[in-house]
């Protein structure tokens, strides 16, 4: 799933490519992806892109037609991505194995929103304001904004006594962190993903606060200036534990372990994060019964 650093990389690339361009046509190929009907997608036709920005893991393309502003806002979910065309395709877009969901034709070039896999969760909204999308209006604080202070972080940790990985991923508390970068943050902070937030002492909270900034800043710097075609590889190459089950931890040399869930998994280093203890893999335990 694209997370804050990759989404920020896409925002930078799209802002550079799209600002000032005219949207000639928007073709919705996968109708379940479109979550709104007013304003219609035709409200984007003839609009000029004013800029592109990020809200958590959402991408917001703002466009203007005269005095009116309309936003094309989308969340890529797990399998979504952006594909850029230097030359606009001439054939009419059709559903197929390519996973094409939306195609936006510009006065020069085009871009597609695609979604791989059988589970379709790509969400596309056409709205007058980005906050008209409920999931944007209810986002928590951006962890790289000035509002994300040490005091605010303390408040978020104490909202409820929950596993720290779940708190990091809760978009209503902290916007933009997903499964992969929460693994990386917890490894950098030397914390178990199952540690309860209210049990964290001041030293652990200091490490976690610092790790959020350092891990996300480093990942955003790595993504900066990269095109959509390169961002996935940049993300994978920058991971210390996520997606590296069975490999050696670069910090201590221990073998990176995994806990599997129904539709996801987490990775961690036992030596760095859990005092050498292997965390229970509940899914595997059920299979072995």
């Amino acid at each position: 799933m694209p997370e804050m650093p990759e989404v920020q990389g896409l925002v930078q690339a799209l802002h550079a490519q799209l600002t000032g361009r005219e949207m000639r046509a928007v073709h919705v190929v996968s109708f379940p992806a479109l979550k709104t009907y007013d304003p219609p997608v035709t409200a984007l036709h003839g609009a000029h892109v004013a800029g592109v920005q990020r809200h958590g893991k959402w991408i917001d393309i703002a466009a203007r037609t005269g005095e009116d502003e309309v936003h094309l806002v989308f969340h890529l979910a797990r399998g979504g991505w952006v594909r850029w065309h230097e030359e606009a395709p001439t054939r009419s877009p059709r559903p197929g194995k390519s996973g094409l969901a939306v195609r936006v034709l510009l006065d020069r070039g085009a871009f597609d929103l695609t979604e791989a896999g059988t589970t379709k969760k790509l969400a596309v909204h056409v709205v007058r304001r980005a906050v008209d999308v409920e999931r944007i209006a209810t986002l928590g604080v951006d962890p790289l904004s000035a509002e994300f202070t040490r005091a605010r972080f303390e408040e978020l940790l104490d909202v409820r006594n929950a596993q720290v990985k779940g708190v990091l991923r809760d978009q209503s508390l902290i916007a933009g962190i997903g499964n992969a970068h929460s693994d990386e943050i917890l490894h950098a902070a030397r914390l178990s993903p199952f540690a309860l937030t209210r049990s964290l002492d001041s030293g652990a909270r200091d490490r976690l606060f610092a790790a959020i900034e350092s891990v996300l800043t480093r990942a955003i710097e790595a993504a900066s200036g990269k095109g959509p075609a390169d961002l996935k590889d940049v993300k994978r190459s920058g991971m210390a534990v996520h997606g590296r089950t069975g490999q050696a931890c670069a910090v201590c040399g221990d073998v990176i372990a995994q806990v599997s869930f129904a539709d996801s998994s987490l990775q961690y280093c036992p030596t760095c994060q859990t005092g050498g203890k292997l965390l229970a893999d509940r899914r595997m335990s059920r299979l072995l019964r």
Side-chain angles (χ1 to χ4, degrees), residues 156-237:
L156 295 174
L157 290 179
D158 292 331
V159 166
R160 61 181 184 272
N161 195 28
Q163 292 178 354
V164 64
K165 182 176 172 72
V167 170
L168 291 177
R169 295 185 63 190
D170 188 336
Q171 299 303 297
S172 69
L173 298 177
I174 304 173
I177 301 174
N179 189 40
H181 287 101
S182 61
D183 281 352
E184 296 299 299
I185 288 166
L186 290 167
H187 178 253
R190 307 192 303 280
L191 290 174
S192 167
F194 293 168
L196 296 177
T197 51
R198 291 179 184 168
S199 71
L200 300 178
D201 61 23
S202 60
R205 292 175 179 226
D206 286 342
R207 296 197 308 273
L208 184 56
F209 184 73
I212 290 171
E213 180 179 8
S214 63
V215 168
L216 294 179
T217 299
R218 185 167 61 248
I220 286 176
E221 289 173 350
S224 181
K226 305 295 190 300
D230 301 318
L231 283 170
K232 292 182 181 180
D233 288 337
V234 169
K235 177 181 179 179
R236 282 190 288 265
S237 65

Side-chain angles (χ1 to χ4, degrees), residues 4-5 12 22 61-62 89 115 182 198 215 237 260 267 284 288:
M4 176 202 287
Q12 291 174 356
E22 180 187 350
I61 300 175
E115 186 169 24
S182 61
R198 291 179 184 168
V215 168
S237 65
S260 298
Q267 286 80 42
M284 291 302 298
L288 293 171

